[in-house]
Amino acid sequence: SEVDVYYAIATAPGAERLTRLRLGCQDGVTAAAEWVAASPRLGGLTSLSLGVTTDRGEPLGFDALMRLARAPHLRGLKSLDLAGLLVGETEAFAFAEAYAWPGLESLSLAGNPIPVSAHAWFAANPLLRSLRELDLRRTPIRAGGLDTLRAALPGTRILGAGGDMPPPPTLAPEDRP
């Protein structure tokens, strides 16, 4: 079963040498997230993808999402893909609050039913300022509601909500009028 595969990966000799892990879960995503969150041997990961590319993903359980967000051995992640895992309002709020990846550069929440109210929650966590790219494609979030998020994450390219939104240009002091 997929659950056995996740266990085997998380506990295999050499797991500590893994830097990128793409599980692309259709079934058993909660089990996969639980094993990754519980395995300090995966502390070398810089890129983790649990996301799916279809709209038929299995919901990532609330507890599993919180364990991922709080796992100390995952603090070195630079890229996290949670696309299509049906992360909704409750999960998005708790995730935004528990989020603790100080060096994360890329976060994909594409294809999740994240509400517009999530903007303020994500904007309130200063650790999100390390993001260079935030993927919100195929979410209910619309361009007009992103002002809070854009203001809090001025250097972040936000994908989705009406197209790609690169960070606004910044002028060097000598270029200012």
Side-chain angles (χ1 to χ4, degrees):
S1 78
E2 284 189 24
V3 174
D4 294 331
V5 172
Y6 305 142
Y7 172 78
I9 291 169
T11 60
E16 61 278 351
R17 291 191 306 270
L18 287 175
T19 58
R20 292 179 290 157
L21 185 58
R22 179 171 177 76
L23 296 174
C25 308
Q26 282 296 113
D27 298 310
V29 68
T30 296
E34 296 273 354
W35 281 115
V36 170
S39 179
R41 296 183 78 188
L42 295 175
L45 290 179
T46 57
S47 177
L48 175 62
S49 175
L50 296 170
V52 296
T53 56
T54 69
D55 291 331
R56 296 184 305 271
E58 173 189 325
L60 178 60
F62 177 84
D63 291 337
L65 184 61
M66 291 303 93
R67 284 188 185 99
L68 278 175
R70 294 179 178 138
H73 61 276
L74 297 177
R75 294 294 177 263
L77 284 178
K78 299 287 184 204
S79 174
L80 179 61
D81 176 6
L82 300 174
L85 298 177
L86 304 180
V87 173
E89 181 174 11
T90 301
E91 295 86 0
F93 172 74
F95 180 73
E97 191 173 84
Y99 178 99
W101 293 288
L104 198 68
E105 296 171 357
S106 175
L107 175 61
S108 176
L109 296 170
N112 286 298
I114 298 169
V116 173
S117 58
H119 298 169
W121 307 331
F122 282 99
N125 188 330
L127 292 178
L128 281 158
R129 293 188 182 103
S130 67
L131 286 177
R132 297 291 149 242
E133 184 173 279
L134 176 59
D135 189 348
L136 297 173
R137 290 178 287 189
R138 299 183 336 271
T139 69
I141 296 173
R142 298 292 170 251
L146 288 176
D147 294 341
T148 302
L149 201 51
R150 281 192 200 115
L153 307 173
T156 302
R157 180 178 182 186
I158 301 173
L159 303 174
D164 295 355
M165 289 163 275
T170 55
L171 296 175
E174 62 272 11
D175 295 330
R176 292 188 181 146

